[in-house]
Amino acid sequence: MKTIIEPFRIKSVEPIRLTTREERAELIAAAHYNLFNLNANDVIIDVLTDSGTSAMSAAQWGGLMEGDESYAGSPSYYRFEAAVRELMPFDHIIPTHQGRAAERILMGIVADGDAHIPNNTHFDTTRANIEATGATAVDLVIAEGKDPASQHPFKGNMDVAALQDFLEAHHAQVPIVMLTITNNSGGGQPVSLANIKAVKAVCEDFGVPLIIDACRFAENAYFIKLREDGYADWDVADIVREMFAYADGMTMSAKKDALVNIGGWLALNDDRWAEEARNQLILTEGFPTYGGLAGRDLEAIAQGLKEIVREEYLAYRLASTRYLGEALVEMGVPVVEPIGGHAVYIDAKGLLPHIPPLQYPGQALAVELYLTGGIRGCEIGSVMFGKQPDGSEQPAAMELVRLAIPRRVYTQSHVDYVIECFEDIVERTDELPGYTITHEPRQLRHFTAHFAPVA
Ligand code: F0G
C-alpha cells in the first residue's frame, strides 16, 4: 500500500484546548509576543521542539514500573548500558540528565582557552559549552549545507577538505572533532556514511578523536538507507552500528531519538577521559550508574532505543515531516530543502520580503502562526543570532521558523490543520507587521525578550 500510516494506536490522550483568534490575540500580547512566554495550555499545535516531547510507548510506561532506584549498581543502569552498547559499542557509557550535561562534562575535560573544536555545525548548547571554557567552536559544513535551496542529499556533511586544511594549520589545538547527526542548526540534514568515514580518516591522520553529537542518529541512519548507495538492504540497526564504528565517543540527548522525556549520555573509548568524566559526573550529576536520572528513566531509554530503529517507525517519521514540508513547497512557501528528519524550516525572509531582517521576519511569521491557528514554532534568525558580543546587531545568515515535530504525538489531521493555516496566511503575507524588541536580557535573548509589532 502507498499510504504510510502511523504505526501505532493511541491508548492515552491529552486534550487540546481550542482557542479563538481573539483569545490568542490577547494571550500573545500578554506574552509580549514571545512564544516562549505562553502557557502551553494555550497552544493548539506545539511544534516548538521535538526535544523531550515524544509520546512514550506502553512498553516504556511499563518499564517505568520496573525502574530500580538503587543509588549504586541499579539493574536499570545495566539494561540501559546494554541497550546503548547494542547500537553504539563504546567502552564507557555514562548517563547524564540531558545532552548538554554530557557536552559540559566532555568540554570540561578536553577544551581550554587555546582549543578549537570543529563540527559540521555546532548546536547552540554545544557551542556555548565550548565557549564557556574559553575555547573556539568552528563550523565546517559543506557549502550546500548553507544554501536553503540546494537539493544535496547529505547537506549535513562536513567539508572534508576544509577540515584537512584546518587540522594542518591548528591540529595541536584541536582536542576533538565533532559531527552532529542530523545537523539540527543546518535544517535537520543528514550526514552520509561516506562522509563519516572520510572525516574519521582525516582525524586519524592527525591523531584527533572523533565525537558524534548523536541526538537524531536513527533518522540519520534511515536517510542513509534511503539515499546512500549500498545501504538499501541494510538493517537500520546495522547502519547505526556502522556509523558509530568510526567514532571515538558520543554525546547524546535521549530527549530526541531515544523517545523519552528526559535523559542523555556521554560515551567514550578513552579510559582516562572516562575516569575524569565519571569524577565530574559525581560532582554535578550523580553516581555513574544513574547520572542525574532516576532508574525508571534509564528503563524508558533502554526500551526507546529498541523502538527507534524499527523501520516502520522511521518510514512514518520521515514521511510525516516530508508531508508537511512538501505541502508548503507546493503552496509556494519557501522552505529548507530537502525536508529534514525532525522539522520543517521555513524561510521567513523569502516569504515576507517586505519585513527587514532587523524587524525579524521569523518572529513575524511565528506570531502570525500562533494568531491564525494556535501553532507554536520557533524563530531561528536575527532574534536568536542577531545580537553580537559587542552589543551591536547584525542580521543572521537566514531568517527561519522551525516547526519541529514531536515524535508519535500528532496525527495527519493535525498536520493538515497546520497546512490549512499556511494557506490562509499566504493570502495576506503583505499585511503582516515586523517587530521591535522592547526589552531583552544580556544573553540568549530569544527565550525572554519582549516584542511589539511595528505600526
Ligand atoms: N545537540 C543537538 C544537535 C541538539 O539538537 C540538542 C537539543 C542538544 C545537543 C542538547 O540536548 O536539550 O538534551 O540538552 N536540541 C533541542 C532542540 C533543545 O529544540 O533542537 P539537550
Side-chain angles (χ1 to χ4, degrees):
M1 293 298 136
K2 284 203 306 298
T3 308
I4 297 172
I5 63 168
E6 287 86 357
F8 48 81
R9 292 179 299 207
I10 297 165
K11 138 146 85 183
S12 176
V13 298
E14 283 181 294
I16 294 176
R17 189 173 91 82
L18 299 179
T19 48
T20 63
R21 187 175 175 116
E22 289 66 40
E23 285 172 290
R24 292 191 292 271
E26 278 179 29
L27 291 162
I28 194 72
H32 302 284
Y33 299 93
N34 187 332
L35 295 130
F36 285 99
N37 286 338
L38 290 168
N39 184 323
N41 271 332
D42 299 328
V43 175
I44 295 177
I45 305 285
D46 205 347
V47 281
L48 186 67
T49 179
D50 65 320
S51 181
T53 52
S54 299
M56 293 211 297
S57 65
Q60 286 178 291
W61 284 107
L64 295 190
M65 282 307 292
E66 304 274 333
D68 179 293
E69 305 304 342
S70 303
Y71 185 90
S74 160
S76 299
Y77 169 75
Y78 293 106
R79 276 192 285 274
F80 156 81
E81 184 192 42
V84 174
R85 200 166 276 147
E86 171 78 16
L87 293 170
M88 297 114 176
F90 294 110
D91 292 342
H92 304 280
I93 295 160
I94 300 165
T96 59
H97 79 274
Q98 62 183 84
R100 65 197 72 182
E103 292 164 1
R104 190 191 56 75
I105 290 170
L106 177 65
M107 298 315 163
I109 296 167
V110 305
D112 58 29
D114 293 330
H116 286 64
I117 300 183
N119 200 332
N120 46 3
T121 315
H122 288 284
F123 181 68
D124 22 351
T125 58
T126 324
R127 172 175 286 277
N129 274 300
I130 291 170
E131 291 174 351
T133 69
T136 308
V138 182
D139 292 339
L140 296 176
V141 72
I142 56 170
E144 291 89 335
K146 290 180 262 183
D147 171 6
S150 161
Q151 294 287 337
H152 192 291
F154 291 101
K155 284 170 80 170
N157 282 355
M158 178 86 93
D159 182 336
V160 178
L163 178 65
Q164 171 92 30
D165 290 349
F166 191 84
L167 287 173
E168 262 159 29
H170 301 286
H171 63 91
Q173 293 130 280
V174 178
I176 54 170
V177 168
M178 296 188 77
L179 259 183
T180 302
I181 62 172
T182 58
N183 187 18
N184 182 16
S185 308
Q189 301 293 328
V191 177
S192 70
L193 251 169
N195 192 254
I196 295 173
K197 289 184 202 176
V199 167
K200 175 61 180 174
V202 173
C203 288
E204 264 185 350
D205 287 346
F206 291 93
V208 179
L210 172 62
I211 306 290
I212 293 182
D213 175 346
C215 298
R216 300 172 180 90
F217 71 91
E219 291 170 13
N220 199 89
Y222 198 61
F223 276 122
I224 288 172
K225 183 175 171 100
L226 296 180
R227 295 185 185 168
E228 189 163 354
D229 281 348
Y231 296 100
D233 298 330
W234 283 47
D235 233 39
V236 174
D238 288 329
I239 297 176
V240 172
R241 284 185 276 269
E242 180 73 0
M243 282 161 36
F244 287 96
Y246 300 94
D248 302 284
M250 66 185 287
T251 56
M252 178 71 187
S253 169
K255 301 171 74 171
K256 285 80 165 176
D257 272 358
L259 290 168
V260 295
N261 307 120
I262 195 72
W265 66 88
L266 170 65
L268 293 166
N269 282 337
D270 187 289
D271 296 338
R272 223 164 24 85
W273 281 2
E275 189 181 344
E276 267 188 69
R278 290 198 174 99
N279 288 337
Q280 282 302 314
L281 191 80
I282 291 171
L283 268 184
T284 58
E285 291 275 301
F287 191 73
T289 58
Y290 72 85
L293 294 169
R296 55 180 168 268
D297 299 323
L298 296 167
E299 294 283 349
I301 295 173
Q303 177 61 26
L305 287 176
K306 295 190 171 71
E307 296 173 13
I308 197 78
V309 291
R310 285 183 194 150
E311 227 167 274
E312 61 271 30
Y313 162 76
L314 287 164
Y316 140 77
R317 170 72 175 158
L318 266 52
S320 59
T321 309
R322 198 169 58 233
Y323 178 80
L324 172 59
E326 286 178 351
L328 297 185
V329 170
E330 207 161 297
M331 220 184 284
V333 174
V335 301
V336 176
E337 292 186 82
I339 308 303
H342 69 296
V344 176
Y345 294 69
I346 297 137
D347 173 7
K349 190 155 60 178
L351 185 68
L352 306 172
H354 64 288
I355 301 180
L358 293 182
Q359 288 184 17
Y360 315 118
Q363 190 66 18
L365 177 61
V367 170
E368 188 56 37
L369 278 165
Y370 180 71
L371 287 168
T372 302
I375 299 160
R376 176 160 72 168
C378 184
E379 193 265 8
I380 303 188
S382 294
V383 174
M384 199 180 267
F385 301 123
K387 188 85 175 184
Q388 305 303 306
D390 66 3
S392 68
E393 261 205 76
Q394 294 288 329
M398 294 192 273
E399 303 295 337
L400 303 176
V401 174
R402 183 184 77 168
L403 307 181
I405 320 286
R407 292 167 183 76
R408 305 192 294 206
V409 168
Y410 292 116
T411 64
Q412 186 172 339
S413 64
H414 292 115
V415 178
D416 285 331
Y417 170 86
V418 175
I419 294 167
E420 192 183 336
C421 290
F422 270 94
E423 283 166 351
D424 187 67
I425 293 171
V426 292
E427 292 303 320
R428 49 187 174 80
T429 47
D430 51 355
E431 294 166 16
L432 269 51
Y435 282 80
T436 61
I437 293 180
T438 56
H439 166 81
E440 65 181 24
R442 269 195 302 139
Q443 281 164 326
L444 296 171
R445 65 177 181 178
H446 54 285
F447 291 121
T448 55
H450 295 179
F451 301 87
V454 175

